[in-house]
Amino acid sequence: MSNMTLSEELTWRGFVNQTTYPKLEDINVDNSKFYHGYDASADSLTIGNLAAVMMDKCFIRHGRNGVILAGGATSLIGDPGGKDSERPLQSEETIRKNVASVNSQLKSLLGEQLEFVNNLDWFSEMNVLTFLREVGKYFSVTPLIQRDYISKRIGEGGSGISFTELGYTLLQGYDYLELFEKYNVRLQLSGSDQWGNSLSGVELVKKAKNQTVNVFTCPLIVNKSTGKKFGKSESGAVWLDVNKTPVLDFYQFWIKLDDAGVEGYLKVFTELDKDSIDEVIVKHKSNPSGRHAQTVLADEVTKLVHGEVEVEKARQATKALVTGGMDHDGLSRITTKLPITIIELLVNSELVSSKSEARRLIESGGIYVNGTAYSKDEIEVEDFKDSKLILRRGKAINNSVVIELEA
């Protein structure tokens, strides 16, 4: 994107939401070090988090240096933003494990040239009196409780909010002050849901140090066809960890996206430049049923997260599931002998929990052999290709098993 300024690329990719800069173009001449904080309430990022990571990568491409902050302390409290009730508190041991896992993912995505810090390192040494004297005194309660996510909780019909949650924004504000003093950070990057918390940091640095710092937020990505928060599948969130979302399911999530938002997703979730994406869209529109844009998107994002080798496996397995071919790397497998009924095979493969469930799925057309709906009673030798077949329950890729015929 060498022909675009930072502000132009951020705008073109759809990363601009709110900022404290008087003019967005001011960001082009401000070479300040940025920081971006990540939650550690789970041991993996989701593709929703990935959008924010791609914003970070945009800043890095334009020569900005940064600090990645793990919320080891703030995750012990839980961000009340966007929540109708208080999160269950997790143990410090769990949070530490989560931090290690998420940091590993971020280093893979962003590179290890950035500085990685954990806010537990300074909060664990701070006592409550110090916090109240050095942080609490700078905040008025009135504007805090007027923030949308807090006022909704304490208003009529709300579930209420604990002092612990109310203090979350002060902790995040102090993060900015700490990073300003120790790392000369003058810009915070975050998602739009963190705008209010980010302003706490701007306010604290201003009051405590009489210095001006800035915030830049990206919008939450929304599925254009459903209007809902992006990154959900039929089985829940789409994770970057292969143990939570297998590579094949991850790849298929992108392949299955409809046309409504695919151009926007290419801009957000890949590093392809404008000319390349324009070319992809032109080719896609010439034959929408070929799903060229979705395939490029799936290839690029899966390569970024899981590597080229896994992309090729996902391509071949997808081909097998669509065409009934036998390129089936990445699928689990069992062996069987003939004769065997389709119901017995479904139970043996653990694709169903009972024979009655198998019957219901067969009757509804929800069982596939080599990509084709299967309704025969018994599996036949002709169903096997090179002594193998792919048995699938429904459309979910993770519900597929390779069946190998014993000699």
Side-chain angles (χ1 to χ4, degrees):
M1 307 301 296
S2 58
N3 60 330
M4 285 189 181
T5 64
L6 175 57
S7 65
E8 288 171 340
E9 184 174 356
L10 290 168
T11 301
W12 173 72
R13 290 194 183 274
F15 284 135
V16 179
N17 184 64
Q18 289 176 291
T19 183
T20 53
Y21 287 107
K23 296 183 299 182
L24 181 59
E25 291 75 18
D26 292 343
I27 209 168
N28 297 325
V29 295
D30 182 2
N31 290 316
S32 297
K33 183 182 291 185
F34 70 82
Y35 99 86
H36 197 155
Y38 287 89
D39 184 60
S41 59
D43 60 1
S44 173
L45 300 172
T46 68
I47 61 171
N49 303 126
L50 182 60
V53 172
M54 299 306 290
M55 174 182 64
D56 294 347
K57 289 172 75 68
C58 188
F59 277 82
I60 293 168
R61 282 197 301 277
H62 285 266
R64 304 316 196 262
N65 195 13
V67 176
I68 301 303
L69 171 70
T74 39
S75 296
L76 287 169
I77 301 302
D79 184 359
K83 304 295 180 183
D84 294 327
S85 59
E86 187 168 359
R87 297 188 193 189
L89 296 181
Q90 300 186 71
S91 69
E92 186 171 328
E93 179 184 6
T94 297
I95 295 298
R96 286 189 182 277
K97 289 179 179 178
N98 292 348
V99 167
S101 297
V102 170
N103 273 351
S104 177
Q105 291 177 339
L106 288 169
K107 288 176 181 179
S108 175
L109 292 165
L110 294 172
E112 300 200 25
Q113 77 275 13
L114 301 181
E115 295 170 274
F116 286 77
V117 299
N118 185 340
N119 61 13
L120 187 61
D121 292 340
W122 49 83
F123 282 122
S124 63
E125 302 297 324
M126 183 182 291
N127 64 47
V128 65
L129 290 177
T130 301
F131 180 74
L132 291 174
R133 287 173 61 86
E134 297 186 4
V135 181
K137 69 176 181 178
Y138 289 113
F139 289 90
S140 169
V141 172
T142 302
L144 289 181
I145 63 176
Q146 289 174 342
R147 291 183 180 175
D148 286 346
Y149 66 91
I150 295 177
S151 62
K152 288 178 182 177
R153 291 274 294 276
I154 63 177
E156 185 177 352
S159 61
I161 192 166
S162 69
F163 180 78
T164 299
E165 289 184 291
L166 188 63
Y168 181 94
T169 191
L170 276 67
L171 296 178
Q172 189 165 318
Y174 185 79
D175 285 341
Y176 207 155
L177 179 60
E178 179 80 9
L179 295 175
F180 169 80
E181 292 183 309
K182 291 188 176 179
Y183 295 90
N184 195 31
V185 165
R186 291 175 175 268
L187 172 62
Q188 181 182 358
L189 306 182
S190 66
S192 60
D193 59 334
Q194 293 299 310
W195 174 250
N197 289 331
S198 300
L199 291 180
S200 293
V202 173
E203 180 182 352
L204 183 58
V205 173
K206 181 66 175 178
K207 290 180 176 179
K209 300 297 176 181
N210 195 30
Q211 294 288 316
T212 298
V213 293
N214 287 294
V215 174
F216 179 91
T217 68
C218 63
L220 297 180
I221 307 303
V222 174
N223 188 311
K224 295 291 179 63
S225 62
T226 65
K228 296 181 179 179
K229 186 177 178 180
F230 187 76
K232 297 289 186 180
S233 69
E234 292 178 4
S235 57
V238 180
W239 302 88
L240 306 195
D241 187 338
V242 296
N243 296 310
K244 291 176 173 288
T245 301
V247 177
L248 190 53
D249 290 344
F250 185 88
Y251 186 86
Q252 281 288 313
F253 171 83
W254 304 99
I255 286 285
K256 291 179 179 178
L257 291 172
D258 59 35
D259 290 350
V262 70
E263 182 175 358
Y265 304 145
L266 282 164
K267 293 176 182 178
V268 169
F269 291 102
T270 80
E271 293 185 275
L272 296 175
D273 62 20
K274 185 177 186 303
D275 289 344
S276 298
I277 290 178
D278 287 346
E279 184 178 334
V280 168
I281 296 302
V282 168
K283 184 174 179 179
H284 175 82
K285 288 182 176 178
S286 69
N287 179 27
S289 62
R291 306 187 72 74
H292 176 66
Q294 286 88 344
T295 301
V296 171
L297 177 63
D299 284 354
E300 290 293 322
V301 183
T302 307
K303 180 171 64 176
L304 175 72
V305 175
H306 298 297
E308 183 62 51
V309 172
E310 294 300 325
V311 172
E312 184 57 33
K313 288 181 181 180
R315 288 191 194 114
Q316 296 303 323
T318 296
K319 179 181 177 182
L321 292 166
V322 172
T323 67
M326 285 297 113
D327 298 314
H328 43 62
D329 285 347
L331 300 181
S332 60
R333 59 188 66 203
I334 65 168
T335 60
T336 192
K337 292 182 178 180
L338 296 181
I340 189 169
T341 67
I342 183 66
I343 290 176
E344 291 171 328
L345 192 58
L346 285 166
V347 173
N348 293 348
S349 65
E350 298 183 350
L351 288 175
V352 299
S353 58
S354 66
K355 291 183 177 180
S356 59
E357 183 183 12
R359 291 189 189 94
R360 287 196 300 272
L361 287 166
I362 293 168
E363 291 172 359
S364 64
I367 298 300
Y368 298 82
V369 170
N370 299 332
T372 302
Y374 200 85
S375 58
K376 292 185 291 186
D377 291 334
E378 288 201 2
I379 294 292
E380 300 174 354
V381 69
E382 290 79 12
D383 296 320
F384 291 84
K385 299 177 182 179
D386 298 324
S387 299
K388 299 180 182 69
L389 65 79
I390 298 177
L391 182 64
R392 187 171 93 236
R393 169 189 170 173
K395 297 180 179 180
I397 300 303
N398 61 314
N399 290 329
S400 301
V401 176
V402 175
I403 310 297
E404 298 182 341
L405 184 61
E406 289 186 17

